C-alpha cells in the first residue's frame, strides 16, 4: 500500500498538478471538465480566463479539486465545441499536467514523478 492508501493493483496516475496555458496573442476562456474515468461522474467543471500570451504563454494553476481516482481531464477553448480528453488510467506515479490551448485546439504535456510532487498540497496527509 502506498502513501495514499492505494494497493499496487491500482494502475493509474494520481493527478497532482494541473495548469492551463494560453499561447495565443489574444485572451481566451478555457473550459475544464474532470470526470471519474470509470463511472463518468462529474468531479469538477469550471471556466478560466486566460490573458493573451506576451512572452510565450500565460498560465493559470487549477486548485486541487479532484479525488485520487482514475480521471478523465477534458479541456477546450470556450469558442470550440470539441473537448480534448486525457485519462490518467494509462499512466502511473504522480502526474503534473499542462494543458496548452492554441489555435488548433489543446495539447497536453505531462511529467511523472514519485508521489507527492514537491509537496503535499494535493492528496497529501
Amino acid at each position: 500500500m502506498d502513501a495514499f492508501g492505494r494497493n499496487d493493483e491500482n494502475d493509474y496516475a494520481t493527478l497532482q498538478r494541473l495548469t492551463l496555458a494560453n499561447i495565443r496573442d489574444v485572451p481566451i476562456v478555457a473550459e475544464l471538465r474532470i470526470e471519474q474515468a470509470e463511472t463518468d461522474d462529474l468531479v469538477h467543471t469550471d471556466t478560466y480566463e486566460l490573458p493573451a500570451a506576451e512572452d510565450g504563454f500565460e498560465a493559470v494553476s487549477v486548485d486541487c479539486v479532484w479525488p485520487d481516482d482514475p480521471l478523465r481531464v477534458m479541456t477546450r477553448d470556450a469558442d470550440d465545441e470539441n473537448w480534448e480528453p486525457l485519462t490518467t488510467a494509462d499512466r502511473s506515479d504522480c502526474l503534473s499536467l499542462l494543458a496548452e490551448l492554441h489555435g488548433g485546439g489543446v495539447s497536453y504535456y505531462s511529467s511523472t514523478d514519485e508521489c507527492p510532487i514537491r509537496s503535499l498540497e494535493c492528496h497529501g496527509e
Side-chain angles (χ1 to χ4, degrees):
M1 195 170 292
D2 67 12
F4 301 105
R6 296 186 314 202
N7 291 321
D8 289 338
E9 70 255 10
N10 290 344
D11 191 25
Y12 63 89
T14 296
L15 182 58
Q16 188 79 19
R17 183 177 301 132
L18 174 59
T19 303
L20 304 174
N22 178 18
I23 65 166
R24 298 170 66 190
D25 59 1
V26 296
I28 64 169
V29 175
E31 294 183 348
L32 174 66
R33 181 177 175 89
I34 301 175
E35 299 174 345
Q36 289 185 323
E38 297 170 348
T39 63
D40 296 333
D41 289 341
L42 182 64
V43 173
H44 176 75
T45 186
D46 208 344
T47 58
Y48 300 85
E49 294 183 23
L50 301 175
E54 293 184 18
D55 294 321
F57 67 92
E58 288 293 328
V60 172
S61 292
V62 179
D63 289 336
C64 183
V65 292
W66 49 83
D68 181 12
D69 290 324
L71 300 173
R72 182 179 310 104
V73 177
M74 296 182 293
T75 313
R76 70 179 178 187
D77 184 322
D79 292 335
D80 190 355
E81 51 187 63
N82 298 317
W83 291 99
E84 247 346 283
L86 178 135
T87 60
T88 63
D90 56 355
R91 299 164 188 262
S92 61
D93 296 322
C94 267
L95 183 66
S96 181
L97 185 63
L98 172 71
E100 181 182 274
L101 290 93
H102 47 78
V106 178
S107 296
Y108 290 105
Y109 300 94
S110 65
S111 64
T112 57
D113 202 351
E114 291 183 20
C115 293
I117 296 175
R118 290 194 207 152
S119 69
L120 296 174
E121 294 171 5
C122 186
H123 309 298
E125 308 244 324

